[in-house]
Amino acid sequence: GIVSSAPTAIVSVTRAPVPTDVPEPTETPMPSNTPGPSPTLIPVSGLTYYISPSGSDSNNGTSLTSPFKTFAKAFPLLKPGDLLYMRDGVYAENVKSVKTNPGTASAKITVKNYGNERPVIQGLFWMSGASYWVFDGINITWGSGLTSGDHMVKFTGEAVGWELKNCEIWGARSFAAISITGFTKNWNI
């Protein structure tokens, strides 16, 4: 993503005047004869959200005292540069078919345990198209009602640059605890 800001005035030691007619930075458009699509600018949000098994999806999710309860509520809100802190406890939720926004190489979307807390997702964790998402310190185990045909953790779709780190994944009762399919590339576990 491209982040632009207004020019910063610098005052020298001699207190020389700073020009006030400096134009705002602009993006140079691609020439019309250039093949391929024009680049899309994705704004960087940089907000922090919270989720907790004792939260509520009617909360705004922006503080420790008003966390969301489900990933179905939290994930669609996350934008490049955002951070979702997971609080301690068991999340009995199948995280699948949740719409997600992509992050960018310079503004990843991060889902992380809060402090030294140990959040556990008890169920499925399926991510599709989660480009430049970082999952750090989350834990996933088998949930009730799942079948042996369910991959417990699955990354699919066109996704690039995602990471799964500092996580525990255990208890799968299917033929694969983690499945990575589709056009995912440059990922790291």
Side-chain angles (χ1 to χ4, degrees), residues 47-85:
L47 298 176
T48 299
Y49 293 97
Y50 300 85
I51 187 170
S52 170
S54 61
S56 169
D57 284 348
S58 62
N59 288 340
N60 64 16
T62 59
S63 73
L64 286 170
T65 58
S66 64
F68 294 127
K69 182 175 183 69
T70 68
F71 295 98
K73 174 68 176 183
F75 277 6
L77 298 175
L78 300 178
K79 293 181 177 44
D82 284 354
L83 169 62
L84 175 65
Y85 277 123

Side-chain angles (χ1 to χ4, degrees), residues 42-155:
I42 301 173
V44 174
S45 176
L47 298 176
T48 299
Y49 293 97
Y50 300 85
I51 187 170
S52 170
S54 61
S56 169
D57 284 348
S58 62
N59 288 340
N60 64 16
T62 59
S63 73
L64 286 170
T65 58
S66 64
F68 294 127
K69 182 175 183 69
T70 68
F71 295 98
K73 174 68 176 183
F75 277 6
L77 298 175
L78 300 178
K79 293 181 177 44
D82 284 354
L83 169 62
L84 175 65
Y85 277 123
M86 291 178 63
R87 299 302 312 271
D88 193 45
V90 175
Y91 297 80
E93 179 181 357
N94 288 325
V95 182
K96 63 181 193 174
S97 302
V98 176
K99 181 191 176 312
T100 59
N101 297 303
T104 67
S106 61
K108 296 182 178 187
I109 296 171
T110 303
V111 180
K112 182 176 179 18
N113 65 310
Y114 182 78
N116 292 323
E117 296 183 358
R118 189 172 186 273
V120 176
I121 297 171
Q122 190 175 44
L124 302 177
F125 189 75
W126 295 358
M127 298 301 298
S128 179
S131 288
Y132 297 109
W133 279 60
V134 177
F135 304 96
D136 186 357
I138 66 173
N139 306 287
I140 306 159
T141 191
W142 196 255
S144 63
L146 302 180
T147 68
S148 63
D150 293 327
H151 300 290
M152 195 166 67
V153 178
K154 181 165 50 171
F155 287 88

Side-chain angles (χ1 to χ4, degrees), residues 31-45:
S32 60
N33 62 352
T34 303
S38 297
T40 302
L41 297 179
I42 301 173
V44 174
S45 176

